[in-house]
Amino acid sequence: MKNYVSLMLVLIVAAACSTDDGYNADTAKTPYEPLPAEDYRMVKSVKINYTDDKAREHKWEYLFDYDAQNRIKSIDGKITRYVINPNNKKTYRKNITSEIKYYFTADDGLKTVYSASVEYPQYTDWNTSVPYKYFGTFNSKGYLMRFGPFDCVYSGNKLTEAHFDNGRIYTLVRDRDENVTGYRCNMSDTAYVDKSNIYTYSREKNRTNIDFSGLLGYWVIERDIAGNETWLDPILQLAAFDMLGSRSRMLPAGEWRMENGYPVSCKTTDGYNLVIEYVE
């Protein structure tokens, strides 16, 4: 009986903690505001696939959920890809089922909570669970002035620099349409890096609520956050939802298929296939 009571207490405490202290996404107040749904169509899901030179198909699927104010509430991810073990150089299938939750908290705060189940069908002993939690603060314009390990520097609504706790300073580079084309980085531990023009864009204007340059990992700042290094296995999507200032205006380079001015599919210049579905 004593063990039973102890177990019940643990379950009650766990259930209480899972409510996040009564957090209500629909009524939470924050200076961050999403782009207006009347002007930017809201994306329900993005599916991505890629076939490598060994005829192996890699798949990513993101399902987006929004609150009553059209802010991002959570992202469910399903990923299947193949990875190389650096020890034996063999390739293994890796499945990831993940969720990113966003909480707009007191004092203009942002909390992101990532959880994932990682499975290796060939080697189940490698299976694991992955948690990450980060915090940030918005400025009065609704852009992040601090997040996790870095501070942001803006010029008007445009993010110009990110200063990391490890001494690295990233400068974003943009073209005349304000699209993020690359970055420069001063590092205290390595040489100066200049990758100013590594990304290119189409002439199709992005009229969705998602910045696809952010979704596809062009904002290198996010890649330097622990756990977020792999560009299509995100634990964060800050730039994708305009939390880091003004977005890239155009869609990334690729063969886009548009319907009524909105993208429904694309084959990127490096061979990734995208399918976009919208909230009705």
Side-chain angles (χ1 to χ4, degrees):
M1 174 62 77
K2 183 176 181 180
N3 290 338
Y4 175 78
V5 172
S6 299
L7 177 60
M8 288 301 295
L9 288 173
V10 169
L11 293 174
I12 291 170
V13 171
C17 293
S18 68
T19 63
D20 294 293
D21 298 323
Y23 175 79
N24 188 327
D26 294 334
T27 59
K29 295 182 179 181
T30 175
Y32 165 73
E33 295 181 355
L35 294 173
E38 299 80 17
D39 301 325
Y40 294 86
R41 195 172 180 188
M42 296 185 66
V43 175
K44 176 182 177 181
S45 68
V46 176
K47 297 177 182 179
I48 305 172
N49 70 74
Y50 171 78
T51 302
D52 63 25
D53 57 4
K54 301 294 184 181
R56 295 179 295 243
E57 188 176 21
H58 305 243
K59 296 180 180 180
W60 297 262
E61 180 177 355
Y62 310 128
L63 181 64
F64 307 102
D65 188 27
Y66 305 97
D67 63 26
Q69 301 179 57
N70 293 330
R71 300 172 302 198
I72 185 63
K73 181 178 178 181
S74 65
I75 304 174
D76 290 328
K78 290 184 179 181
I79 298 169
T80 296
R81 64 185 184 90
Y82 293 84
V83 297
I84 299 175
N85 186 316
N87 296 320
N88 58 20
K89 307 302 180 182
K90 291 184 178 181
T91 301
Y92 301 96
R93 180 177 172 178
K94 181 178 182 179
N95 297 329
I96 304 173
T97 302
S98 66
E99 182 180 44
I100 310 171
K101 290 184 177 181
Y102 300 81
Y103 299 90
F104 301 103
T105 61
D107 299 319
D108 301 333
L110 171 69
K111 179 174 73 171
T112 63
V113 179
Y114 173 87
S115 58
S117 173
V118 182
E119 298 179 346
Y120 294 87
Q122 295 163 281
Y123 292 91
T124 56
D125 288 347
W126 296 355
N127 294 352
T128 187
S129 296
V130 181
Y132 283 99
K133 184 183 295 185
Y134 283 105
F135 299 87
T137 307
F138 291 105
N139 62 22
S140 60
K141 293 183 177 181
Y143 303 136
L144 287 167
M145 61 181 183
R146 171 77 185 181
F147 186 84
F150 67 91
D151 293 302
C152 297
V153 178
Y154 293 91
S155 175
N157 295 337
K158 183 169 60 178
L159 178 65
T160 57
E161 293 181 349
H163 295 236
F164 276 75
D165 294 342
N166 60 11
R168 297 182 184 183
I169 300 176
Y170 286 91
T171 301
L172 286 182
V173 180
R174 302 171 189 257
D175 62 20
R176 62 184 181 182
D177 290 317
E178 303 300 328
N179 303 310
V180 173
T181 61
Y183 66 96
R184 294 187 292 270
C185 184
N186 285 303
M187 306 187 224
S188 59
D189 54 344
T190 60
Y192 174 78
V193 174
D194 188 341
K195 294 189 176 182
S196 299
N197 297 295
I198 56 176
Y199 304 119
T200 56
Y201 289 80
S202 70
R203 299 310 304 163
E204 299 286 355
K205 188 173 181 179
N206 183 11
R207 297 174 58 203
T208 77
N209 70 312
I210 290 180
D211 183 345
F212 279 87
S213 72
L215 184 77
L216 296 178
Y218 291 8
W219 294 58
V220 69
I221 295 165
E222 293 190 46
R223 296 196 201 178
D224 211 3
I225 300 173
N228 206 46
E229 299 87 354
T230 305
W231 66 286
L232 279 177
D233 298 358
I235 66 169
L236 302 164
Q237 286 287 11
L238 306 176
F241 290 96
D242 305 298
M243 297 184 188
L244 294 175
S246 58
R247 57 168 48 196
S248 298
R249 291 178 57 197
M250 304 299 178
L251 294 168
E255 300 172 11
W256 290 92
R257 185 167 70 88
M258 311 291 286
E259 290 185 359
N260 301 318
Y262 300 101
V264 293
S265 66
C266 177
K267 183 174 183 178
T268 67
T269 54
D270 46 2
Y272 290 82
N273 298 291
L274 281 66
V275 176
I276 300 107
E277 296 182 345
Y278 292 93
V279 175
E280 297 299 332

